[in-house]
Structures are given as structure tokens and as C-alpha cells.
Amino acid sequence: KAKYLTKVTDLTKIILENAIKEGDIVVDATVGNGYDTEYLAKKVGERGKVYGFDIQKIALDKTKERLQKNDLLERVSLILDGHENMDKYIKEEVSCIYFNLGYLPRGDHKLITKAETTILALEKSLKLLKSYGIISIALYTGHEGGLEEKDAVEEFLANLDQNYYNVLKCNFINQKNNPPQLVLVEKKMVFKERQI
Ligand code: SAM
């Protein structure tokens, strides 16, 4: 059993510990069973706000219940729509956008995030993110379509201008059976007109 290097998403939480402040506005781009939505809702505090997206009503219903139980629902907007449409709902700058790609655990394994819509959502995320904001993306390759999505996401992010963004990739290099991989993006503060 490991204590510190357990899951790649534990690393995200270390970064977000500092990157998300009380009162911030953040996005859970893939709500699923709501574990990450709950984590984000706690981080932003009473004055903060979380926008949560999922295309499955069952995911949002379960998450609503989870948030209600923990008295967190008031600070979360759960939206039954794809993250590729996030700009329709979010008009403010946000400090974090959290993607946990793939399928809903214990749900329909056919309903997966897809390269094309994920890239669209990432383009929109880059625009909504404020300076020093973080996008976290957990990628899975064990299911059909997962590898294509991971390759598309990596290619898109690897080509971001380093004057504006830092992009970090982390993965376990000794684990079998397609462990999840993590990509983190920070939007840099720039002091001249931003190009992207
Ligand atoms: N973060 C979640 C949690 O804490 O339980 C797990 C997320 S799960 C791996 C991925 C979720 O993405 C699924 O619930 C799926 O329905 C959702 N999804 C698929 N396509 C989507 C899209 N275009 N926009 C938003 N969510 C999508």
C-alpha cells in the first residue's frame, strides 16, 4: 500500500490546495458521482461557487443528493449539458476547471467523454480561466476511445504557447493495466496583450 504516490489525482489536490481560495468560482467539467464536485464545493467555501456539468441526469441526481447531505448544494450549479457548452452558462473568470474523463464508474460504460468535445471544452476553458488558474485533466486509456482521447488532448495541450501557459504531464511509469494519467495547465500572468 502506498501513502504519498497513490493516485495521480492526489497530486492535483496538492496543487489546488494553493490555487483555489475561499470565494473562488470553479468548474467541475465531469460531475459523475460527485466526489470531485464535493471536494471543490468544500474548497471554495460558503462565498464561492462551483459549476458542475454532466450529460447524464443520473449523475447529477446522485451528486445533488450527496451535496444536500453535506449542506453544500447552495454553492453548486449542476448543469445537465456537455462541458463543450460551458461558455453558455459561465460568464465569470474561474480559478480551476477539473476534468475527470472517461465513463461514469458503476454507470453506463458506453457514455464516455470524447476527443472532439473534450478539445472544444478545453478551448473554452482556456478562455474562462484567470491568470494563475489551473486546469486539471485525468485521462484514462483502458476503455475503447480512451487512447484516442488522451492523444488528442496531449497534442492540443503540447502546442499551447509557453509564453501563456505551462503544461505538465504526470504518469506512473511502472504500473501495469493503463493507470490514469494527469495533465495540469496553468494560465500565466502576462503583462502585454494576450494572443490566445
Ligand atoms: N469526477 C467524477 C466523480 O467524482 O465521480 C467522475 C467523472 S466520470 C470519470 C466522467 C463523467 O463525464 C461521466 O459521468 C460522463 O457522463 C461525463 N461526460 C461524458 N461526456 C461529457 C460531456 N460532454 N460533458 C460533461 N460530462 C460528460
Side-chain angles (χ1 to χ4, degrees), residues 28-37 53-56 59 81-84 98-105 111-114 117-118 140:
D28 187 348
T30 48
V31 165
N33 291 314
Y35 295 104
D36 298 321
T37 318
F53 294 87
D54 207 294
I55 52 168
Q56 297 191 60
D81 199 352
H83 41 221
E84 62 277 15
Y98 200 102
F99 288 84
N100 195 336
L101 300 175
Y103 56 79
L104 179 67
L111 286 170
I112 51 170
T113 54
K114 301 213 171 87
T117 38
T118 302
Y140 303 82

Side-chain angles (χ1 to χ4, degrees), residues 7-103:
K7 296 181 285 184
V8 280
T9 44
D10 289 346
L11 190 67
T12 305
K13 306 253 161 83
I14 294 172
I15 308 284
L16 296 185
E17 202 46 47
N18 294 316
I20 300 178
K21 308 265 185 294
E22 278 212 26
D24 275 2
I25 303 166
V26 302
V27 182
D28 187 348
T30 48
V31 165
N33 291 314
Y35 295 104
D36 298 321
T37 318
E38 180 185 349
Y39 163 79
L40 292 168
K42 286 182 178 154
K43 288 283 317 155
V44 297
E46 242 177 306
R47 293 179 301 110
K49 180 167 178 90
V50 183
Y51 289 95
F53 294 87
D54 207 294
I55 52 168
Q56 297 191 60
K57 186 169 181 300
I58 187 166
L60 297 186
D61 287 347
K62 269 195 199 160
T63 299
K64 187 173 173 190
E65 217 174 280
R66 170 186 301 283
L67 295 169
Q68 240 155 5
K69 253 190 224 150
N70 290 283
D71 202 17
L72 295 165
L73 189 59
E74 261 188 35
R75 57 186 90 161
V76 181
S77 281
L78 292 172
I79 299 161
L80 183 61
D81 199 352
H83 41 221
E84 62 277 15
N85 298 319
M86 65 170 79
D87 56 333
K88 276 195 201 158
Y89 305 89
I90 309 171
K91 301 296 169 197
E92 314 97 318
E93 285 197 318
V94 303
S95 61
C96 170
I97 306 179
Y98 200 102
F99 288 84
N100 195 336
L101 300 175
Y103 56 79

